Amino acid sequence: MSKNKGHSSKRGNLAVTAVALQDHILHDLQLRNLSTADHSKTKAQKRESRSKSLKGNTKAIIDTGLKTTLQDPKVEDPEKEYVLDPKPPPLTLAQKLGLFEPPPPLLSSDEWEKVKQRSILQGDSMQPCPICKEEFELRPQACLQAFEKFTNKKTCPLCRRNQYQTRVIHDGARLFKTKCATRIQAYWRGHVVRKWYQDLRRTVPPTDAKLRRKFFEEKFTEISHRILCSYNTDIEELFSEIDHCLAINRSILQQLEDRCSHELTEEDWEKIQIQALHRETYECPICLTPLPGSGDSHQDASGMRCSQTSRETVLLSCSHVFHHTCLLALEEFSLGDCSPFHACPLCRSCYQKKILGY
């Protein structure tokens, strides 16, 4: 009887052990498929519970016309750190029997702080993600969740350790913000320096001969363009000014023509001749030889009598006297002048002439 009892007790122990092992294996498979580190599911569950609580607490509000201040809902801190792993499941029968080691207890806040400090000293957040090899950014990255689903077990991608705990930290996001701010400042400083250098290139001429020539060519082009842009190009005003100048010239020419075309009478010529006598002109202003009828016309420097007394003398309406041949030669010489009237060689006024006989 004792042997049968021992044999039956051994069979019972084997049956309990088999049941415990089977239960532990099934429980382990269920935990692997549950994705305990799925942050999106935990947040969705929180939203559903929050919405249910809000629906249960809603009350009808009567509009009384009075202004009421609405309290803003509590906003969660986006940089708050929290543990993703839920509470450890109860021990299985195999773990209670000592067939498997129980799961490690949850880390306390002090232990998590030590782990974080060790990670900071190693510079883990400064390195790219070991799974996707990309930098840690502000947007959520689910590389670890994808790795767990792909491998169908909870194993660290680096040290291959099982049964680890996860905690959300924001060191990578803070380092990414600092890096972005540094890049923005570097780009802004580069923009300021480039702008300063361009202004310097526009104001200070270079020392190289070719660059110096190009610098002054650009300056000259810029100044010319600025002058052309500032110049008033009103065509109507320009044409009106031209018409005004032409009208003035026509009036002056008309006055000159009226004055020159007026025929002088004998009395006018007598008065002009009297004025010419009062001038006491004894030499032709053109050839500088004595005029006929002058007091010094009968002698020259050698004491010989001048043979030019036969040359005719002409009197101009401006009371100047010349040799007729000299005046004709001067008029022929000045045929290229654009003026329709001849001008006196002395007073530059238009004239009428009269040949005098001595």
Side-chain angles (χ1 to χ4, degrees):
M1 293 293 293
S2 61
K3 290 182 179 181
N4 292 331
K5 288 182 179 179
H7 185 68
S8 62
S9 63
K10 288 182 179 179
R11 286 183 178 179
N13 292 333
L14 289 175
V16 171
T17 303
V19 172
L21 290 174
Q22 186 178 6
D23 178 67
H24 182 79
I25 292 171
L26 291 175
H27 186 71
D28 190 18
L29 291 175
Q30 288 177 358
L31 287 178
R32 290 181 183 179
N33 295 329
L34 282 177
S35 181
T36 56
D38 193 350
H39 179 52
S40 61
K41 289 185 179 180
T42 56
K43 282 196 171 182
Q45 293 174 357
K46 288 181 180 179
R47 290 197 201 97
E48 290 179 0
S49 61
R50 192 180 301 162
S51 62
K52 289 181 181 179
S53 63
L54 289 175
K55 287 180 181 179
N57 296 329
T58 53
K59 295 181 180 179
I61 298 176
I62 301 174
D63 187 6
T64 59
L66 301 176
K67 294 183 178 180
T68 57
T69 57
L70 298 177
Q71 295 181 357
D72 296 334
K74 294 183 179 179
V75 180
E76 296 182 358
D77 187 7
E79 296 187 358
K80 182 180 179 181
E81 298 181 356
Y82 53 91
V83 179
L84 287 178
D85 299 288
K87 293 182 179 179
L91 297 178
T92 61
L93 181 59
Q95 290 173 346
K96 290 180 180 179
L97 295 175
L99 299 177
F100 290 95
E101 294 182 0
L106 294 178
L107 298 178
S108 63
S109 58
D110 295 336
E111 292 174 341
W112 274 117
E113 188 65 27
K114 292 179 181 179
V115 173
K116 183 179 178 181
Q117 293 298 328
R118 187 168 64 251
S119 175
I120 293 174
L121 293 175
Q122 293 175 359
D124 295 336
S125 298
M126 301 177 64
Q127 302 297 327
C129 175
I131 300 174
C132 65
K133 296 299 181 180
E134 294 183 0
E135 294 182 355
F136 295 102
E137 299 178 356
L138 301 179
R139 58 185 174 85
Q141 295 166 302
C143 299
L144 183 60
Q145 299 173 15
F147 179 78
E148 290 176 358
K149 290 180 180 179
F150 180 76
T151 57
N152 199 19
K153 59 182 178 179
K154 196 172 182 181
T155 306
C156 178
L158 297 179
C159 64
R160 303 301 180 184
R161 181 180 178 181
N162 296 325
Q163 300 300 328
Y164 55 82
Q165 300 180 26
T166 54
R167 181 182 177 90
V168 176
I169 60 174
H170 302 280
D171 293 344
R174 282 192 287 269
L175 291 174
F176 183 73
K177 289 180 181 179
T178 305
K179 188 181 294 184
C180 291
T182 305
R183 289 175 180 173
I184 292 172
Q185 292 176 358
Y187 288 143
W188 173 250
R189 292 192 186 99
H191 169 71
V192 172
V193 171
R194 284 191 296 271
K195 186 177 180 181
W196 170 80
Y197 181 71
Q198 291 175 0
D199 294 339
L200 186 66
R201 288 287 301 271
R202 284 194 293 267
T203 54
V204 180
T207 56
D208 186 68
K210 293 183 179 179
L211 296 177
R212 192 178 185 88
R213 180 177 180 180
K214 184 179 180 181
F215 172 81
F216 285 109
E217 286 178 356
E218 292 177 355
K219 280 293 181 182
F220 181 75
T221 304
E222 182 182 355
I223 294 172
S224 301
H225 179 70
R226 189 164 61 247
I227 292 174
L228 290 176
C229 292
S230 62
Y231 184 72
N232 187 11
T233 56
D234 191 359
I235 303 299
E236 297 296 333
E237 184 179 357
L238 178 63
F239 285 166
S240 62
E241 185 177 357
I242 293 174
D243 293 339
H244 179 67
C245 295
L246 289 175
I248 294 175
N249 292 335
R250 289 194 188 97
S251 63
I252 294 174
L253 290 175
Q254 187 64 35
Q255 294 176 5
L256 184 61
E257 185 177 359
D258 294 341
R259 182 178 178 183
C260 295
S261 61
H262 177 65
E263 293 293 337
L264 299 176
T265 61
E266 291 296 332
E267 294 180 358
D268 295 334
W269 282 115
E270 290 179 359
K271 293 179 181 179
I272 293 171
Q273 190 173 4
I274 293 172
Q275 291 179 2
L277 293 175
H278 285 247
R279 290 179 181 276
E280 296 182 355
T281 305
Y282 304 109
E283 293 179 351
C284 175
I286 299 175
C287 64
L288 301 179
T289 58
L291 294 171
S294 60
D296 298 333
S297 63
H298 62 281
Q299 292 181 356
D300 55 4
S302 60
M304 301 295 293
R305 183 173 297 275
C306 182
S307 62
Q308 297 178 352
T309 56
S310 61
R311 298 174 64 179
E312 293 179 343
T313 305
V314 64
L315 176 64
L316 304 185
S317 58
C318 59
S319 72
H320 291 114
V321 182
F322 302 90
H323 286 139
H324 191 202
T325 55
C326 297
L327 187 62
L328 290 175
L330 182 63
E331 290 176 354
E332 291 178 359
F333 180 77
S334 60
L335 285 176
D337 193 358
C338 59
S339 177
F341 305 100
H342 296 291
C344 175
L346 297 180
C347 63
R348 297 299 177 185
S349 62
C350 61
Y351 59 84
Q352 298 181 23
K353 58 185 177 179
K354 180 181 180 182
I355 298 175
L356 301 178
Y358 292 97

